[in-house]
Amino acid sequence: VRNLRRFMLAEHAHEYPLCSQLIADFERPWILTVAALFHDIAKGRGGDHSVLGQKDVARFCVQHGISSEDSELAEFLVLHHLNMSMTAQKRDLSDPPVIQSFAALVGTERRLVALYLLTVADIRGTSAKVWNAWKGKLLEDLFNATLAHLAGDRLAPSERMDFRRSEAARLLLLDSIDRPRYQKFWDSLDIGYFLRHEPIDIAWHTRVLHGAPTGEPIVRTRMSPLGEGFEVVVFARDQPG
């Protein structure tokens, strides 16, 4: 609840800009507070605490004359409060069926925004050690991809690959690295590679690997653009398994 409230306060907008922006445009944000109060209320009772908590919040909404629309949202949030985190951290977000399945679960933009806000507040509320920039990036990527899907922006894999390649090429050109210098390297990569990685990562991989000698494994690192830790890329010859 404290984390949700921080999203609403201007002096904390720099902490989670997207959350602050989303909650400012969210009608009746008190529903999020209700969901936050009930999302873990049934832990320790035996059984699925999400299912039991959904029944509790439904009863609460009836007792307090909350509209069916708002009650349904609160119930949805309590029942599915773990789904976004699990999807972001355990599924391949570059796989279109993953996004399609998650979009089918949330159904509407309002539910997506509400679940995203509750998920960030929940993870942050667990402990300061549980949250990190990597988890934040995964959640934001899932949010943006699902939002685009719900809005009807469904690029075919070939279109998505072409976009990422062209954007990576633009970034490389800013470093005075033109396409003939790395085209052979790109030709050695499969379609899945370009669908899995963002243009900024493709550009980095290309920058550090395109002129490297072939044969021996290559390992390169950089400080994470997200501001925490570092990233490692390992490049080696393909082999069975």
Side-chain angles (χ1 to χ4, degrees):
V1 172
R2 180 182 62 188
N3 286 328
L4 285 170
R5 181 174 178 273
R6 287 176 78 89
F7 298 158
M8 303 177 194
L9 301 177
E11 59 263 39
H12 297 297
H14 65 282
E15 296 176 347
Y16 305 99
L18 178 57
C19 291
S20 296
Q21 175 190 338
L22 292 173
I23 208 165
D25 297 327
F26 194 84
E27 294 183 5
R28 304 184 299 285
W30 56 264
I31 301 170
L32 301 173
T33 303
V34 172
L37 289 169
F38 279 90
H39 78 290
D40 276 348
I41 201 168
K43 275 191 171 181
R45 281 193 218 160
D48 188 331
H49 76 282
S50 298
V51 174
L52 296 174
Q54 178 195 20
K55 295 177 181 177
D56 285 351
V57 77
R59 189 180 308 113
F60 173 88
C61 289
V62 170
Q63 292 171 342
H64 291 78
I66 295 174
S67 71
S68 59
E69 177 186 353
D70 292 340
S71 175
E72 287 172 5
L73 178 57
E75 290 180 53
F76 168 82
L77 292 173
V78 174
L79 180 62
H80 296 291
H81 70 272
L82 297 175
N83 286 72
M84 190 167 198
S85 177
M86 290 192 297
T87 300
Q89 295 181 51
K90 297 182 179 181
R91 303 292 301 277
D92 180 2
L93 301 184
S94 67
D95 188 9
V98 171
I99 303 303
Q100 293 165 10
S101 176
F102 186 72
L105 173 70
V106 295
T108 68
E109 180 179 337
R110 180 169 171 78
R111 281 187 170 189
L112 173 64
V113 170
L115 187 57
Y116 175 72
L117 290 169
L118 180 62
T119 301
V120 175
D122 186 19
I123 296 176
R124 284 286 298 167
T126 302
S127 79
K129 295 181 180 179
V130 172
W131 179 265
N132 56 47
W134 172 72
K135 289 182 181 178
K137 176 67 163 55
L138 290 176
L139 287 171
E140 191 169 329
D141 286 349
L142 177 57
F143 173 82
N144 288 327
T146 307
L147 187 64
H149 185 89
L150 291 173
D153 181 13
R154 300 163 192 176
L155 290 177
S158 59
E159 295 174 305
R160 190 181 304 112
M161 183 183 75
D162 289 343
F163 167 77
R164 293 184 177 185
R165 286 167 65 111
S166 63
E167 181 62 14
R170 184 188 69 80
L171 294 173
L172 289 164
L173 199 56
L174 294 176
D175 290 333
S176 300
I177 303 175
D178 55 13
R179 189 180 287 264
R181 293 172 58 185
Y182 58 81
Q183 188 61 56
K184 184 177 180 181
F185 171 69
W186 275 18
D187 289 343
S188 72
L189 304 170
D190 59 16
I191 293 175
Y193 167 82
F194 290 99
L195 294 178
R196 284 194 302 272
H197 297 288
E198 296 296 329
I200 189 173
D201 298 317
I202 296 171
W204 171 50
H205 298 162
T206 303
R207 192 179 301 116
V208 298
L209 296 175
H210 77 278
T214 58
E216 294 298 315
I218 301 166
V219 180
R220 296 288 184 269
T221 63
R222 69 171 177 180
M223 296 304 297
S224 171
L226 301 175
E228 291 187 8
F230 60 93
E231 296 179 351
V232 181
V233 58
V234 180
F235 182 63
R237 286 187 179 279
D238 195 13
Q239 54 185 315

